[in-house]
Amino acid sequence: MDLDVFVTAHRAEWDRLDQLLRRGRRLNGAEADELVALYQRTATHLSLIQSSAPDPTLTTRLTQLVARARATVTGTRRATWHDAARFLTAGFPAAVYGSRRWWIPTALLSTLLAAIIGWWIGAHPEVQSAIGAPEDLRQMTRPGGEYETYYSSHPAASFAAQVWTNNAQAAAMCLVLGAFFCLPVIWILFLNVLNLGVGIGLMSSAGRLDIFLGLILPHGLLELTAVFVAAGTGLRLGWTLIDPGPYSRRTALARQGRAALGMAIGLALVLFVSGLIEGFVTPSGLPTWARISMGVAAELVFLTYVYVLGGRAARAGDIGDVQDADRSAELPVAA
């Protein structure tokens, strides 16, 4: 496409659209119809320029023009309780369900790696010596040691809030930093797996692995699932930069980025629940089987929520992105 010829042919339309937009609400019926038609044609022109002859200056101008026209044509829309209900019953579970091919392998590989690290540390005293002095390790793993008192070291409410904040930040970092070609997500995930593996290894070497699992599983099932979902989604976002699929790289990244933003909000709610369990259930005097049962129940509720509501919404075409009316057209909307 000859960009100069294209600009010469359509400049008058863009100038006319800008003129109509500057008049705001002072348009008659014919002018309003003209504005809509020009908006559609300009959106098509922008798409053609981006795909055939990208020019930064022209693209910026038309992007701003299309955005202004879209705001005028569609108007501004305030979020409602209906939007929140739709997000919780369709958008968020659909996004988690749609990312399952990323976070399920992430969860399985991470769990396997944590088990291998735990076995390696537990079976090799020289590795344990490299981690810390024998007396320090005994203080950590003995009855009433640091591993056990950690969950009751602060008041339950403040501890739950602290845990929720830390985990939500980790999940958000996985989601956001995935755009940097996956590498930061892999590092964050490895640090979490390493910490889990060290705990498994040290407590198993002390013959107290059952105590450790009794403390980890009540909240850890839901908490780790949320972290794995965040990491898997971050990896998917990073892979979009490499393979955007049928869309342009910019469009594909915008779609996945908006879904990841919604995912961050949803996962914050999930981690809030796991934080409550960690703050109030894990250090409680309930029998181990009761605490683990509550953790398993919370995990099953979340998975059912994802696979039933999320699966239904995903089959209906929901990917966790904003609704069609709230995003720019991804294909030309007029000839």
Side-chain angles (χ1 to χ4, degrees):
M1 181 176 69
D2 190 318
L3 186 60
D4 292 333
V5 173
F6 189 85
V7 171
T8 301
H10 298 289
R11 186 193 301 275
E13 294 177 302
W14 304 336
D15 291 341
R16 175 58 176 167
L17 177 59
D18 182 62
Q19 180 185 11
L20 292 174
L21 289 173
R22 290 179 185 277
R23 292 179 57 187
R25 298 179 180 274
R26 302 187 304 275
L27 300 176
N28 58 37
E31 290 171 333
D33 291 339
E34 182 185 7
L35 187 148
V36 172
L38 289 173
Y39 158 57
Q40 292 177 327
R41 287 204 290 271
T42 304
T44 302
H45 299 160
L46 176 60
S47 177
L48 291 172
I49 291 172
Q50 288 176 326
S51 60
S52 302
D55 177 87
T57 302
L58 182 59
T59 298
T60 299
R61 183 201 171 188
L62 292 185
T63 298
Q64 294 173 347
L65 192 59
V66 168
R68 289 167 55 206
R70 179 175 177 274
T72 301
V73 171
T74 62
T76 57
R77 191 176 70 83
R78 294 183 179 180
T80 64
W81 287 109
H82 177 269
D83 296 318
R86 178 194 167 276
F87 170 74
L88 292 175
T89 59
F92 172 58
V96 178
Y97 181 85
S99 298
R100 68 192 185 283
R101 291 184 177 85
W102 287 88
W103 63 262
I104 291 178
T106 298
L108 295 176
L109 290 174
S110 298
T111 303
L112 178 61
L113 180 59
I116 292 173
I117 292 174
W119 168 82
W120 181 56
I121 293 174
H124 296 81
E126 66 276 12
V127 178
Q128 299 169 31
S129 300
I131 294 174
E135 182 58 32
D136 293 335
L137 298 183
R138 278 193 293 272
Q139 287 295 324
M140 294 172 62
T141 58
R142 66 178 177 81
E146 294 177 16
Y147 271 120
E148 290 187 36
T149 59
Y150 169 75
Y151 297 101
S152 56
S153 57
H154 297 87
S158 62
F159 182 73
Q162 178 183 351
V163 167
W164 174 53
T165 301
N166 292 339
N167 289 333
Q169 288 177 344
M173 289 176 63
C174 285
L175 291 167
V176 173
L177 296 179
F180 295 93
F181 296 98
C182 307
L183 297 178
V185 178
I186 294 175
W187 177 247
I188 293 171
L189 189 60
F190 174 73
L191 292 179
N192 279 273
V193 169
L194 180 62
N195 287 334
L196 179 60
V198 169
I200 292 173
L202 294 180
M203 289 295 277
S204 65
S205 68
R208 311 191 71 237
L209 181 60
D210 56 333
I211 302 298
F212 181 75
L213 295 179
L215 292 170
I216 287 293
L217 291 179
H219 65 273
L221 291 173
L222 189 60
E223 177 184 298
L224 288 174
T225 298
V227 171
F228 294 147
V229 170
T233 303
L235 293 174
R236 184 184 189 185
L237 182 62
W239 185 253
T240 300
L241 287 171
I242 301 171
D243 181 13
Y247 298 97
S248 69
R249 184 167 282 102
R250 180 177 179 178
T251 298
L253 189 61
R255 283 165 57 92
Q256 295 300 331
R258 288 191 298 263
L261 179 61
M263 190 92 76
I265 299 172
L267 289 178
L269 298 176
V270 175
L271 289 168
F272 177 73
V273 175
S274 76
L276 291 178
I277 296 174
E278 188 169 1
F280 292 93
V281 176
T282 298
S284 70
L286 293 172
T288 299
W289 65 266
R291 288 185 281 112
I292 292 179
S293 296
M294 294 179 69
V296 170
E299 175 76 356
L300 291 177
V301 167
F302 177 69
L303 293 178
T304 302
Y305 164 74
V306 168
Y307 274 84
V308 174
L309 295 183
R312 181 189 306 155
R315 288 188 291 272
D318 198 330
I319 62 170
D321 198 355
V322 295
Q323 299 184 63
D324 293 344
D326 295 327
R327 63 174 184 263
S328 301
E330 294 165 350
L331 294 172
V333 294

